[in-house]
Amino acid sequence: MYRMEHLVSGAAGFIGSHLCDRLLAEGDSVVGLDNLITGARRNLAHLAGHPKFRFIACDVTQPIDLEGRFHQVWHLASLASPKEYLAHPLETLESGSAGTRNMLEIARRDRARFLLTSTSECYGDPLEHPQVETYWGHVNPVGLRSCYDESKRYAEALTMAYHRYYGVRSNIARIFNTYGPRMALKDGRVVPAFLDQALQGQPLTIFGDGTQTRSFCYVSDMVEGLVRLASSEERLPVNLGNPVELTILEFAERIKRLMLAEMKAELPIVFEPLPEDDPQKRRPDIGKAKRVLGWEPNVALEDGLRQTVEYFKALPVTR
Ligand code: UDP
């Protein structure tokens, strides 16, 4: 049977490591790259010695001389949490620009397919709601978050240029908030932050008044969407995310309810200042993903959160 060779950047990251698992489960071979700024070796520990998996610790923003011929290149390498990209703005800009270019060059060399993981941040603090792929966004180009937003927008432009100029068979996924096991507990994003606080019996920290909205997609649903997208002929961006929208206050209440059964204690909520340019509303319109990929998320928030709690509880105690 025909087996594919995949190259995955960001392989030790949260979504990247789940993607590697999925590709290997299909019997394909995977070379995973990661510079481990935010990725963790722990996320790939279970693949040590796997005959079809090879990990290379390297920085994809530097030219990479990789042997082998790949059929599919997946560019996931990026700092994805606001806390991390604000701490590493230049690395973030580089992974979207030079990193994307280096990975596209490999796809061009090998006549491989290429998938870019872009972001809902391309829509900035959106003036249209829900966000449809045809909306061009409302991004502050010089704000704190611009290092992430603009690097991903540039990465999308680069990907389209390689497609139009060199004929690279590319796909662009605009990923909305995703959660699940292997998120970094301390990366500052709201799901690990609330679960970490809850597991320690500490108050949940809501930034602003909690009226801002997000929608949360479980990682297995996300990986399914990415895999379907990579085999589609859709070249323009496709939103992948869960359309169930919650205010952050409602989300905190869900966590409280879930953890009440778990911890047998009611968690207090405290309010802290809202970070600069924090988007007020976010919800994907997934009509295109449904139409083109036959995809929509299946995992209910409570089920996904339970899996994530189990994962965090099993982590070695570092505090
Ligand atoms: N947030 C919060 N408390 C936290 C962490 C985040 O209220 O401890 C808010 C944050 O201000 C944002 C939302 O939760 O409005 C989602 O934040 P996250 O960092 O997960 O991702 P974003 O969608 O902003 O990229």
Side-chain angles (χ1 to χ4, degrees), residues 80-83 85 119-121 145 148 176-178 183 187-194 197 204-208 210 212-216 248-249 251 270 272-275 277-280 282:
S81 101
K83 177 179 154 193
Y85 60 70
T119 171
S120 55
E121 286 280 327
R145 293 172 90 109
Y148 185 64
F176 284 64
N177 296 64
T178 302
M183 288 190 98
D187 83 0
R189 281 184 283 189
V190 71
V191 174
F194 281 1
Q197 289 158 354
L204 306 182
T205 54
I206 289 189
F207 299 163
Q212 71 271 36
T213 66
R214 294 294 187 273
S215 43
F216 298 97
I248 292 301
L249 198 54
F251 181 61
V270 293
E272 293 187 0
L274 188 68
D277 289 336
D278 196 283
Q280 189 53 37
R282 187 183 288 155

Side-chain angles (χ1 to χ4, degrees), residues 13 39 41 44 56 98-99 101 105 108 110-111 144 146 204 225 228 238-240 244 248 266 269 292 308-309:
R41 282 186 191 274
L44 297 174
I56 304 172
R101 179 122 198 210
E105 274 300 319
R108 178 166 85 99
D110 289 357
R111 294 198 177 79
L144 277 179
S146 64
L204 306 182
R228 288 190 192 204
V238 177
N239 288 340
L240 294 178
V244 178
I248 292 301
E266 176 89 10
I269 285 177
V292 177
T308 313
V309 170

